[in-house]
Amino acid sequence: MKNLLKDNKVLVEKFRSIRTPFYYYDTELLDKTLQAIKNETDKHQGYHMHYAVKACTTPKVLSHITKAGFGADCVSGGEIQACLDAGFPASEIVFAGVGKSDWEIELGLKAGIQYFNVESIPELEIINEIAGSMQKVANVSFRINPNVGADTHANITTGLAENKFGIAMEDMEKVISLANDMKNIEFVGLHFHIGSQILEMDNFVALSNRINELQDRLERNGFQTVKNINVGGGLGVDYANPDENPIPDFKAYFDTYAKHLKLRPGQQLHFELGRAVVAQCGSLITKCLYVKQATAKKFVIVDAGMTDLIRPALYDAYHKIDNLTSNAQEDVYDVVGPICESSDVFAKDYSINATKRGDLLALRSAGAYGEIMASQYNCRSLPKGYTAEDII
Ligand code: LLP
């Protein structure tokens, strides 16, 4: 199996002259991924992709995504601004989040975003008030908590009744009626999201069934068909095999909705994929500082830490590690960073080509929730993000 990174000798040679740690984004793979999504959404009428910007906002990455014609799903004023700067049309931006500040609501209204995904009645009232003071009408969609579990890590499950997100399904009639009576609110959609890194399509079938039930019920109770259904994101990637499966199975994903979700005539279906769009195209490149033989273990100590990629420490996440500059026989190490926290571990008892000081290692599938979640703990610099265009 060809290794998409390691076998690119010219690229690895260029990496040697760049200060580590840094993120590298394979924009050729990104473009292929975007095309694969487009091929599928084009097959179905009324399907629209809003890239979940929270996964990665590196400007070059955003610019490839906007050029592919995608909209954006934002969760903060900062993300809205980053999208506007990258050239996303405001009319294709949707804005979610349980705690929108007044200035963020104002920014959304001023820019003319497509709609707000509203998560509570107090938020709806404030959006109505702010829109009124600006003499505008805010388009709103309600984020509904479908109480559907997802087979994923507990920290990234969002659609259960116990989670802080969304409004209960039972309250929908009340909330829609409230919105219909508000002068500065236009009710335009229903929004859902059940979690992240979901690989079992059954979860999306369950969500489709819940949406069907809700739509049937709303119709029975005399409510008009809503313009948009937004099913959020959540499609996972193959972290174990980034070279075998660099592009997620978008066909299975979109076909699941096409088969199970009963859209009403003219109804538009919105998606907010983040991870599936960008995870596989990004790698964190780091350098081995020391190989330390301890009593029971051998450690590869690298110059990237949990400040650069927090997923292993926070979610026990697996990222494949390649030694880009060694073909020596494999050895077993704990790969750890320099941060003063015992959770600063990328992998335990991990087999990689025998490693020595100065070797370059890649933590693969790190394009989503990698660079964007970096911190400056220990007064460290934030890692830079480069694309092929920057390097070659
Ligand atoms: N829409 C909403 C409302 C969301 O909350 C999220 C993710 C998405 C879309 C995009 O989900 P995706 O397609 O990327 O699964 N930091 C965690 C993931 C947190 C996801 C939060 N919400 C991680 O590194 O695994």
Side-chain angles (χ1 to χ4, degrees), residues 61-73:
V61 171
L62 282 185
S63 95
H64 278 255
I65 296 172
T66 176
K67 277 192 199 116
F70 289 13
D73 155 41

Side-chain angles (χ1 to χ4, degrees), residues 49-290:
M49 180 59 68
H50 291 94
Y51 162 63
V53 170
K54 63 177 80 66
C56 178
T57 51
T58 307
K60 285 257 171 61
V61 171
L62 282 185
S63 95
H64 278 255
I65 296 172
T66 176
K67 277 192 199 116
F70 289 13
D73 155 41
C74 296
V75 288
S76 71
E79 285 190 358
I80 295 178
Q81 196 55 57
C83 285
L84 294 172
D85 294 346
F88 283 89
S91 61
E92 296 298 322
I93 296 176
V94 300
F95 179 19
V98 288
K100 300 179 186 75
S101 300
D102 295 15
W103 73 267
E104 295 178 308
I105 295 169
E106 282 160 21
L107 175 64
L109 285 167
K110 198 163 144 241
I113 62 167
Q114 192 173 10
Y115 55 84
F116 292 83
N117 285 314
V118 170
E119 309 223 10
S120 66
I121 295 175
E123 182 195 332
L124 178 70
E125 289 167 345
I126 292 301
I127 295 179
N128 182 47
E129 198 180 300
I130 295 177
S133 71
M134 293 171 75
Q135 282 148 19
K136 292 199 182 264
V137 171
N139 291 331
V140 311
S141 194
F142 290 116
R143 170 144 184 203
I144 296 160
N145 190 329
N147 201 10
V148 169
D151 308 314
T152 186
H153 191 282
N155 286 6
I156 49 178
T157 309
T158 49
L160 287 174
E162 67 198 51
N163 296 129
K164 68 178 172 181
F165 302 99
I167 302 171
M169 199 107 132
E170 303 80 76
D171 297 339
M172 268 351 278
E173 281 84 352
K174 186 175 96 192
V175 180
I176 296 172
S177 304
L178 247 175
N180 286 340
D181 288 343
M182 288 181 175
K183 226 176 103 213
N184 298 86
I185 296 288
E186 172 87 12
F187 167 58
V188 298
L190 301 173
H191 175 232
F192 306 81
H193 175 76
I194 53 171
S196 204
Q197 182 54 18
I198 298 169
L199 291 164
E200 291 300 327
M201 294 301 127
D202 287 0
N203 294 290
F204 301 121
V205 174
L207 174 60
S208 300
N209 291 339
R210 298 290 279 159
I211 299 175
N212 294 339
E213 280 165 32
L214 177 63
Q215 292 229 84
D216 290 347
R217 198 184 84 199
L218 290 175
E219 276 167 13
R220 273 199 312 276
N221 291 338
F223 286 85
Q224 267 185 354
T225 304
V226 67
K227 194 168 158 196
N228 310 308
I229 299 290
N230 182 330
V231 289
L235 177 64
V237 301
D238 189 348
Y239 280 99
N241 305 294
D243 295 304
E244 289 83 344
N245 295 312
I247 299 181
D249 191 351
F250 293 115
K251 181 169 168 30
Y253 175 73
F254 290 109
D255 284 356
T256 299
Y257 281 109
K259 183 159 170 217
H260 295 277
L261 183 64
K262 298 196 186 93
L263 284 185
R264 303 329 198 218
Q267 210 164 39
Q268 306 294 300
L269 185 57
H270 294 189
F271 298 88
E272 300 173 342
L273 293 180
R275 186 189 318 266
V277 182
V278 290
Q280 296 293 37
C281 80
S283 297
L284 174 61
I285 311 297
T286 181
K287 197 174 276 173
C288 170
L289 296 172
Y290 307 104

Side-chain angles (χ1 to χ4, degrees), residues 15-16 18-22 284-293 298-305 321-326 333-338 346 352-363:
F15 284 172
R16 287 187 190 278
I18 302 172
R19 184 177 159 170
T20 49
F22 64 90
L284 174 61
I285 311 297
T286 181
K287 197 174 276 173
C288 170
L289 296 172
Y290 307 104
V291 179
K292 169 171 158 177
Q293 177 68 66
K298 220 186 279 185
F299 292 95
V300 164
I301 303 170
V302 294
D303 62 2
I321 304 175
D322 291 324
N323 185 329
L324 301 179
T325 50
S326 163
Y333 308 92
D334 278 15
V335 180
V336 303
F346 289 126
I352 36 170
N353 296 108
T355 300
K356 58 182 185 317
R357 175 175 165 84
D359 278 349
L360 288 176
L361 274 62
L363 285 120

